[in-house]
Amino acid sequence: MVDLWTDAELEKAIRAYFKMIQYEEDKTPYVKAEVNRQLQKSLPRRSHKSIEYRWQNISSVLHENGIEFIDGFKPAKNVGASVKERIWKIINDLNLIE
């Protein structure tokens, strides 16, 4: 059985991703693995690798929309259309793109 991510889980992953973007823009040092560990605390059903792959999904959506993504999370190649739509909707609903 596929364990689909809820919108609430996606939102947490997206918020963490954009927090890392802000760190990079501000030139604030951070450790991606530590951001992942913190996120895992609020997403107990998700593994380190699952979160990293979700961040690659987010990179893919950003890349397809001409938006810079985090270098350490290259865009995933096979992101389902419905997942892309959900990620893009959450990004827009949270007003994360200027």
Side-chain angles (χ1 to χ4, degrees):
M1 180 179 129
V2 175
D3 190 10
L4 297 177
W5 282 57
T6 65
D7 284 350
E9 289 175 317
L10 281 176
E11 181 177 330
K12 287 178 181 182
I14 290 166
R15 285 183 184 277
Y17 187 100
F18 276 83
K19 182 168 138 182
M20 290 185 287
I21 288 177
Q22 190 62 54
Y23 288 151
E24 291 189 1
E25 288 175 357
D26 295 344
K27 309 255 187 276
T28 302
Y30 72 101
V31 178
K32 293 174 183 129
E34 182 57 32
V35 176
N36 190 315
R37 277 190 289 279
Q38 291 300 316
L39 184 56
Q40 282 181 54
K41 290 178 184 177
S42 68
L43 299 175
R45 297 182 327 135
R46 305 298 170 196
S47 69
H48 185 91
K49 288 193 179 279
S50 176
I51 290 169
E52 282 192 351
Y53 188 70
R54 188 57 61 194
W55 284 340
Q56 288 181 283
N57 290 171
I58 295 165
S59 290
S60 181
V61 170
L62 294 176
H63 181 66
E64 287 181 8
N65 286 282
I67 300 164
E68 201 168 321
F69 56 89
I70 295 174
D71 187 45
F73 300 111
K74 300 292 184 205
K77 294 182 183 195
N78 297 313
V79 183
S82 66
V83 172
K84 284 182 187 180
E85 289 173 17
R86 290 171 61 208
I87 289 170
W88 188 240
K89 179 181 182 329
I90 292 167
I91 289 170
N92 283 299
D93 287 352
L94 295 173
N95 294 313
L96 294 170
I97 304 296
E98 295 178 4

